[in-house]
Amino acid sequence: MLENLEPLKPNRISRIDEVMETLDAKDQKILLDALNNRQWSAHGLSNALKARGLMLSGSTIKRYRDVNREK
């Protein structure tokens, strides 16, 4: 009955991917470096991005970091 039980894959693009699509390659690299830099708190990075017109919440940044932890 449960032989092929698998989690559903999200069919929606993530908020970080949405923001990445709006950036040029240089800014994409800067954002990825910042997302992966644990010296930035999620809340601090969110505020710094908001000051530059990019809306990413601290919880979105934290979720990204949790999913992408040291692969």
Side-chain angles (χ1 to χ4, degrees):
M1 180 171 123
L2 300 176
E3 291 86 12
N4 295 318
L5 183 65
E6 293 183 24
L8 293 176
K9 294 185 173 89
N11 58 1
R12 141 181 204 305
I13 190 168
S14 75
R15 178 68 182 129
I16 290 181
D17 289 336
E18 287 176 358
V19 169
M20 285 291 192
E21 289 179 355
T22 70
L23 301 174
D24 63 25
K26 180 181 173 186
D27 285 339
Q28 287 177 356
K29 179 172 179 357
I30 291 168
L31 178 55
L32 277 176
D33 289 346
L35 287 167
N36 293 315
N37 182 345
R38 297 301 176 126
Q39 291 181 331
W40 278 105
S41 69
H43 182 72
L45 180 54
S46 174
N47 286 340
L49 293 170
K50 184 188 291 185
R52 289 163 176 81
L54 294 178
M55 305 308 274
L56 284 176
S57 69
S59 61
T60 297
I61 293 167
K62 182 178 180 331
R63 188 171 37 256
Y64 169 86
R65 287 176 172 176
D66 290 346
V67 169
N68 294 289
R69 183 177 310 158
E70 300 298 323
K71 286 187 172 181

